[in-house]
Amino acid sequence: MKPMEGYNKLRGGYYTPDKISEFIAAWAIRSPEDSVLEPSCGDGSFLSAITRRLGALGATADQIRENVTGIELDGGEAGKSAQYGATVICEDFFTYYEETIDEKKQFDVIVGNPPFIRYQNFTEKYRKTAFSLMNKHGFHPNRLTNIWLPFLVLSCKALNPGGRVGMVIPAELFQVNYAAEARQFLSIFFDELTLVTFKRLLFEDIQQEVVLLLGERGRGRQGIKVVELHGLDDLVEQGQSCLEKAEAKPSDHSTDKWVKYYLSNEELDLLQRLNNDARITNATDLYEINVGLVSGENDFFVINQEAVAESHLQDSVLPIISRSEQLKGVQLTDEDYSNLVSFGKRVFFFAPGNVDVKDLTEEQRRYIQWGEDEEFHKNYKCRIRTKWYHVPQTWRADAFLIRQAHLYPRMILNVKHALVTDTLHKVRFLDGVQGPSVAAAFLNTYTFALSETIGRSYGGGVLTFEPSEMRKMRIPMRMAERLDLQKMDLWQRNGEIEKILAYSDAILLREGLALSEYEIGLLHGIWNKMSGRRMTRKNQKNQK
């Protein structure tokens, strides 16, 4: 999907490769009499495929003009689309929908590639109409909602009882919170839902992973299928036959993320059974979690030893961890911190206290003046504080959780009692909970597999967790007291994760939960499949 420059890029317009348009049109259009809507036709890639497909099925030029409608806001693009013989309306889709389609007209087929425009770039007049229509149909869009979502759900609402939707949709659909209602709606609305995904990014210029969403009504309940291909070449080579190879999974009709549908039914059944196993402990029964410290300007507040010495701030700083790469093991010790200092890492936090300027030391005042000369005090987080140079602190972390994991998530004990920035999450163990046992038990194959269905991963392959997602983690704690944290810490520092998992799985999963070697192998397969998939995208990005 190559982004057009300037205005077209801002409006979310992207070229759809002809092979994708042809594939979707071939699947969706099955009769020369099919009525077809393309809600965002752009320069006409889909309209070209639609009219050729209908022509191949025997439709006349008059039938095509009568039965195929394309909507396009941009006049120049609408003019290009008109050459394919469809009726092209140059208008905003949502206004046209409200006036002409909503509860007035239905279509047999709706196909397209909706624009990708974030809330703040979505023209207010059109956004207001789109959100009003969504509200009318029971959805609750918010300031995170991207324009592709109302395009999709409103198009579905315009289908007849036996209709089909085929769209190019961002893979965000699988995992973002603002699409949760849509996931639930789609799983209920369509009898059969097929999602064609790709291991490689199809549209590398925008680093946006997409899926081909194929939804069909009137089929009798069939469930959800995920077809995973390597790239566009696979789609071309296999054609429609690829849709018959995927295993159908029952829809759970919830707002849960859809990444789990990459798994086989056998893998899903095992994960679901363990997710409901009362012997495994919920994260919320072990610890509290919150975001790390938000300074407003790390270049001012988070500094290294050289800057501390140069500004004579030895008595004005506290230890802090500012990047996940500074944490090598399963614990942060005094020795670890000393090594970070000697390597020149930014691990000192400027904390003069909640004190008026007149009561600060000369060195503190001089440093604050330098910050104001650099206009750091004008940053939003700084300027809304009573004293811009004083960052309020809440509870000190007992441990840290990796917010953006590459290979796997990890908990690190805060033996040093350092502060932490919001590049990581901070953890406070509940009363009576043994933190070292939790940090050790966190490293097991079940928790790793579960994390891949809880976190979010985009084009770069990193697995990202918000505090709310980390609260959904589950940790097998039976026999966790037998784990040797020091041994696991050494293995972690040496990058020997397989040794860690062989050790912890034998104690936590084999003995603690009585799982068979086969079941533990299935969990390994889930983790390897899911993490390998996102790491493939990361490697693809790095090779560019």
Side-chain angles (χ1 to χ4, degrees):
M1 187 157 46
K2 182 179 180 182
M4 293 177 277
E5 297 301 323
Y7 162 73
N8 285 341
K9 183 175 180 180
L10 181 63
R11 74 184 178 84
Y14 298 95
Y15 294 119
T16 306
D18 292 341
K19 296 300 182 182
I20 291 179
S21 304
E22 291 165 4
F23 178 88
I24 292 177
W27 171 82
I29 300 171
R30 303 173 186 177
S31 163
E33 288 83 28
D34 277 345
S35 58
V36 186
L37 173 68
E38 214 289 37
S40 56
C41 59
D43 67 345
S45 173
F46 265 100
L47 287 184
S48 174
I50 291 165
T51 55
R52 280 187 282 114
R53 171 65 173 167
L54 285 169
L57 291 171
T60 66
D62 287 342
Q63 281 180 305
I64 290 172
R65 189 175 302 105
E66 180 179 351
N67 290 337
V68 181
T69 303
I71 313 297
E72 174 54 45
L73 177 62
D74 181 86
E77 297 295 284
K80 297 175 187 177
S81 293
Q83 67 180 299
Y84 299 110
T87 297
V88 177
I89 310 295
C90 185
E91 190 173 354
D92 163 51
F93 170 66
F94 302 111
T95 302
Y96 182 83
Y97 189 98
E98 185 176 49
E99 295 174 351
T100 309
I101 296 177
D102 191 33
E103 298 182 347
K104 306 177 188 71
K105 187 175 182 179
Q106 291 182 322
F107 296 85
D108 299 314
V109 173
I110 301 178
V111 297
N113 179 3
F116 186 90
I117 305 176
R118 301 191 187 283
Y119 177 95
Q120 61 269 27
N121 295 326
F122 190 0
T123 303
E124 184 178 358
K125 178 175 71 171
Y126 306 141
R127 184 178 68 220
K128 183 177 180 181
T129 303
F131 281 22
S132 175
L133 286 164
M134 289 189 76
N135 290 150
K136 175 181 176 180
H137 289 285
F139 297 93
H140 303 87
N142 57 43
R143 295 179 65 87
L144 297 176
T145 301
N146 195 292
I147 191 176
W148 65 263
L149 188 63
F151 263 91
L152 172 61
V153 298
L154 292 174
S155 291
C156 293
K157 286 291 187 178
L159 274 185
N160 70 32
R164 297 169 294 282
V165 158
M167 287 195 171
V168 182
I169 297 295
E172 288 185 357
L173 171 66
F174 275 58
Q175 53 191 344
V176 294
N177 290 334
Y178 75 76
E181 286 183 335
R183 289 193 291 271
Q184 183 176 44
F185 162 71
L186 292 168
S187 70
I188 296 171
F189 187 76
F190 289 110
D191 293 318
E192 182 172 88
L193 191 61
T194 302
L195 301 150
V196 182
T197 72
F198 302 89
K199 293 181 179 178
R200 293 187 62 84
L201 295 173
L202 293 188
F203 314 124
E204 297 180 17
D205 288 341
I206 57 169
Q207 285 296 306
Q208 175 65 60
E209 185 184 2
V210 300
V211 300
L212 310 186
L213 183 147
L214 309 175
E216 185 169 3
R217 306 188 72 195
R219 286 263 295 164
R221 186 56 58 184
Q222 302 292 316
I224 292 181
K225 295 180 181 179
V226 172
V227 177
E228 188 167 25
L229 304 176
H230 188 71
L232 185 56
D233 289 346
D234 276 358
L235 185 73
V236 173
E237 181 180 341
Q238 297 186 40
Q240 302 293 309
S241 67
C242 72
L243 303 179
E244 305 305 318
K245 300 175 183 178
E247 184 180 35
K249 290 111 181 179
S251 305
D252 64 9
H253 304 325
S254 74
T255 59
D256 287 352
K257 296 176 182 180
W258 279 359
V259 290
K260 62 186 179 183
Y261 291 121
Y262 285 116
L263 305 178
S264 68
N265 277 326
E266 183 181 30
E267 292 167 332
L268 278 171
D269 288 345
L270 173 60
L271 204 55
Q272 187 64 40
R273 175 161 59 85
L274 293 177
N275 291 348
N276 293 326
D277 192 324
R279 297 174 299 169
I280 300 176
T281 308
N282 293 324
T284 50
D285 292 327
L286 296 170
Y287 55 76
E288 299 175 53
I289 182 170
N290 210 331
V291 295
L293 183 149
V294 181
S295 73
E297 181 51 73
N298 282 352
D299 283 345
F300 175 80
F301 288 102
V302 183
I303 55 181
N304 61 15
Q305 176 65 58
E306 182 181 2
V308 171
E310 184 178 289
S311 298
H312 305 287
L313 298 175
Q314 290 85 348
D315 296 328
S316 305
V317 293
L318 297 171
I320 192 168
I321 293 299
S322 58
R323 301 175 66 87
S324 58
E325 66 188 29
Q326 294 168 356
L327 302 169
K328 303 300 184 185
V330 190
Q331 53 187 343
L332 173 70
T333 65
D334 289 340
E335 182 181 358
D336 291 325
Y337 182 77
S338 295
N339 289 335
L340 292 171
V341 172
S342 64
F343 289 140
K345 301 299 183 181
R346 295 156 65 95
V347 290
F348 292 96
F349 182 71
F350 179 61
N354 189 15
V355 179
D356 291 337
V357 170
K358 64 181 177 60
D359 296 321
L360 295 173
T361 67
E362 180 181 347
E363 291 80 10
Q364 291 170 339
R365 288 197 299 270
R366 188 182 303 119
Y367 187 68
I368 290 169
Q369 183 58 57
W370 169 77
E372 292 178 354
D373 291 343
E374 296 293 321
E375 298 190 339
F376 294 146
H377 64 301
K378 294 182 179 180
N379 292 356
Y380 174 73
K381 287 290 185 181
C382 296
R383 72 171 185 264
I384 63 173
R385 297 184 189 124
T386 304
K387 300 177 181 67
W388 78 268
Y389 51 81
H390 170 63
V391 181
Q393 300 173 31
T394 57
W395 44 270
R396 190 71 66 95
D398 296 328
F400 313 124
L401 274 168
I402 301 295
R403 178 173 173 264
Q404 293 188 313
H406 294 278
L407 296 176
Y408 48 88
R410 182 163 41 104
M411 179 181 288
I412 302 95
L413 289 178
N414 185 16
V415 179
K416 175 61 183 175
H417 302 297
L419 299 173
V420 65
T421 66
D422 61 345
T423 56
L424 296 102
H425 297 317
K426 61 181 185 177
V427 167
R428 179 168 61 182
F429 297 111
L430 301 184
D431 290 344
V433 172
Q434 298 301 310
S437 293
V438 177
F442 197 90
L443 298 172
N444 73 88
T445 302
Y446 162 68
T447 299
F448 282 5
L450 177 63
S451 74
E452 295 288 341
T453 70
I454 290 175
R456 290 167 294 128
S457 176
Y458 302 109
V462 173
L463 191 62
T464 301
F465 300 90
E466 296 304 321
S468 60
E469 291 160 338
M470 274 296 184
R471 294 185 187 107
K472 296 178 182 178
M473 296 290 275
R474 286 165 54 79
I475 305 171
M477 293 298 297
R478 300 184 86 183
M479 300 189 177
E481 70 281 357
R482 288 175 47 188
L483 295 171
D484 185 334
L485 180 69
Q486 300 304 321
K487 181 190 297 186
M488 297 175 72
D489 180 63
L490 179 60
W491 284 333
Q492 171 61 38
R493 292 171 190 271
N494 291 335
E496 297 175 303
I497 186 59
E498 290 304 327
K499 283 187 178 179
I500 293 176
L501 294 181
Y503 172 68
S504 62
D505 287 354
I507 294 173
L508 301 177
L509 305 185
R510 188 73 187 93
E511 296 187 54
L513 297 178
L515 297 187
S516 68
E517 291 299 328
Y518 179 75
E519 290 171 321
I520 294 173
L522 273 183
L523 290 174
H524 269 279
I526 293 171
W527 175 52
N528 289 333
K529 179 190 296 186
M530 302 292 282
S531 62
R533 186 179 189 282
R534 59 181 176 80
M535 292 303 290
T536 295
R537 299 197 302 278
K538 175 188 175 184
N539 294 336
Q540 179 184 353
K541 179 180 178 181
N542 291 340
Q543 291 167 6
K544 287 189 64 184

